[in-house]
């Protein structure tokens, strides 16, 4: 019998395609050339890749046509299929928001009662409004939702927003956020032992890649007189590496910093006399 392969569904083209392919590449998985194909496979990992419209991915995962998939949480929740999130992936970040024309005064959620609302997300929006006890006239449209108020089709819209520039260009302002979303790895709930083992291997790599992205490797020269203070500022994986420099009275200190605390700590290090600070990206990080 041929060895088992895990089948993953990713977006064929669109906002998630490039980051999904890059994530696999960063995990050391090389795909056979097949950009315009429906299906390809990896040369060096037991993985088969299907390129699909994002809207279809939850259904394929529910039906086990694909074992796993990469899709925005917004699509997963809209489709309401039997597929669970294994790992959020940190790209494709956006929010599903209510927007109204900037020329109307918005009076809170209650003011939407009885209004015409256009959206491509009738499932999520319908559930949200029902939970809040608000009845509206919901219109499902499949694209260009942002033009609906301008052409008199709707009083408000619910659409995906990232920078807000599309809303702005259409004279709309964002007034409520219904859902925050990012790309997620989803799975079919039943995988045989072989496929589960491949998924575990893939997840291990994905987590190492994600961790590496959030961390930087830092090298600096420290005057020995302030070495202790400088070391206390650096978290490091265990503790920083300290090596003597050729120049007496100085040491080289190496450590790992998370992106969030980065600027704050750099300033403090400089204040303690650290010099020649180098910050370099980390490719993989396994703890
Ligand atoms: P497909 O042809 O696969 O159906 P699509 O047109 O439905 O593609 P895209 O516009 O490529 O979808 O968006 C894919 C996903 O990217 C969205 O479902 C969402 O999770 C995420 N996303 C991130 N930022 C935005 C944004 N500003 N607008 C729309 N989607 C965004
Ligand atoms: Zn789509």
């Amino acid at each position: 019998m041929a060895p088992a392969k895990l089948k993953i569904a990713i977006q064929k083209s669109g906002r998630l395609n490039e980051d999904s392919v890059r994530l696999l590449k960063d995990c050391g998985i090389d795909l056979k050339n097949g950009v315009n194909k429906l299906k390809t496979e990896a040369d060096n990992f037991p993985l088969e890749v299907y390129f699909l419209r994002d809207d279809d991915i939850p259904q394929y995962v529910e039906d086990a046509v694909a074992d796993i998939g990469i899709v925005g949480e917004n699509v997963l929740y809209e489709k309401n299929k039997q597929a669970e999130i294994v790992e959020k992936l940190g790209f494709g970040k956006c929010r599903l928001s209510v927007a109204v024309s900037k020329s109307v005064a918005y009076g809170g959620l209650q003011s939407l009662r009885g209004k015409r609302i256009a959206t491509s997300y009738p499932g999520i929006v319908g559930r949200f409004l029902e939970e809040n006890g608000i009845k509206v006239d919901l219109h499902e449209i499949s694209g260009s939702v942002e033009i609906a108020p301008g052409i008199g089709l709707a009083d408000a819209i619910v659409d995906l927003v990232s920078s807000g520039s599309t809303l702005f260009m259409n004279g709309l302002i964002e007034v409520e956020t219904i859902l925050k979303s990012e790309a997620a790895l989803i799975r079919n709930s039943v995988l045989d032992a072989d496929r589960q083992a491949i998924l575990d291997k893939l997840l291990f790599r994905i987590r190492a890649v994600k961790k590496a992205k959030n961390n930087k490797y830092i090298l600096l020269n420290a005057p020995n007189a302030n070495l202790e203070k400088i070391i206390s500022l650096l978290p490091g994986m265990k503790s920083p590496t300290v090596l003597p420099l050729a120049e007496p009275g100085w040491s080289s200190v190496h450590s790992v910093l998370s992106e969030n605390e980065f600027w704050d700590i750099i300033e403090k290090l400089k204040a303690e006399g650290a010099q020649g600070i180098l910050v370099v990206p980390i490719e993989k990080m396994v703890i």
Side-chain angles (χ1 to χ4, degrees):
M1 212 175 74
K5 287 194 177 194
L6 190 71
K7 291 174 285 180
I8 184 171
I10 65 174
Q11 194 188 23
K12 183 172 168 58
S13 62
R15 292 172 195 263
L16 302 182
N17 167 269
E18 218 172 279
D19 285 330
S20 304
V21 172
R22 185 176 311 122
L23 177 65
L24 295 178
K25 197 171 185 322
D26 289 346
C27 288
I29 297 171
D30 299 325
L31 301 186
K32 290 207 168 89
N33 277 339
V35 189
N36 288 314
K37 283 196 288 189
L38 174 68
K39 192 177 125 178
T40 187
E41 52 189 72
D43 288 325
N44 55 358
F45 196 82
L47 193 70
E48 237 168 47
V49 184
Y50 290 82
F51 298 99
L52 300 168
R53 282 202 58 193
D54 65 347
D55 312 67
D56 297 333
I57 292 176
Q59 180 75 60
Y60 279 112
V61 170
E62 177 178 292
D63 294 344
V65 174
D67 302 307
I68 60 174
I70 295 178
V71 77
E73 292 172 279
N74 53 303
V75 171
L76 180 67
Y77 297 139
E78 178 62 26
K79 301 295 173 190
N80 218 358
K81 300 288 176 198
Q82 287 297 317
E84 45 189 288
I85 294 183
V86 204
E87 183 83 11
K88 296 194 186 186
L89 300 174
F91 58 84
K93 286 193 177 167
C94 58
R95 47 198 190 275
L96 188 65
S97 292
V98 181
V100 297
S101 162
K102 63 172 186 269
S103 58
V104 304
Y106 178 68
L109 264 188
Q110 300 299 330
S111 67
L112 296 177
R113 221 175 274 278
K115 295 278 166 60
R116 289 167 308 160
I117 300 185
T119 186
S120 309
Y121 292 87
I124 297 174
V125 176
R127 286 197 295 272
F128 173 81
L129 291 171
E130 200 180 312
E131 277 161 23
N132 285 280
I134 295 168
K135 281 211 164 57
V136 306
D137 182 7
L138 204 59
H139 288 251
E140 178 177 358
I141 45 182
S142 60
S144 304
V145 174
E146 66 281 358
I147 66 169
I151 58 175
L153 202 73
D155 305 304
I157 63 164
V158 180
D159 204 7
L160 293 178
V161 186
S162 43
S163 69
S165 59
T166 308
L167 293 182
F168 182 79
M169 283 188 308
N170 286 281
L172 301 171
I173 49 166
E174 190 178 354
V175 290
E176 308 274 352
T177 300
I178 292 186
L179 175 80
K180 285 199 169 138
S181 176
E182 64 185 85
L185 187 73
I186 61 170
R187 60 166 288 168
N188 181 282
S189 47
V190 191
L191 294 181
D192 62 31
D194 286 346
R195 286 181 181 81
Q196 180 66 53
I198 302 169
L199 175 58
D200 290 344
K201 225 167 148 176
L202 177 64
L203 259 182
F204 178 79
R205 295 190 188 189
I206 289 176
R207 288 178 179 146
V209 168
K210 269 177 69 181
K211 222 178 194 91
K213 282 215 174 85
N214 292 331
N215 287 278
K216 301 277 180 250
Y217 194 73
I218 177 169
L219 305 91
L220 58 87
N221 296 333
N224 286 347
N226 286 358
L227 199 53
E228 241 171 78
K229 270 193 195 147
I230 287 179
I231 289 173
S232 72
L233 291 169
L234 294 167
M237 283 213 267
K238 276 218 161 58
S239 66
T241 306
V242 181
L243 303 163
L245 283 188
E247 189 178 332
W250 285 81
S251 299
S252 168
V253 180
H254 302 194
S255 190
V256 172
L257 275 188
S258 92
E259 187 89 332
N260 305 334
E261 52 193 4
F262 176 75
W263 290 110
D264 200 32
I265 292 186
I266 297 274
E267 272 172 26
K268 290 183 182 150
L269 290 170
K270 280 180 71 182
E272 294 299 339
Q275 293 182 4
I277 304 176
L278 290 183
V279 177
V280 289
I282 299 171
E283 203 180 280
K284 311 275 188 305
M285 191 162 150
V286 178
I287 299 181

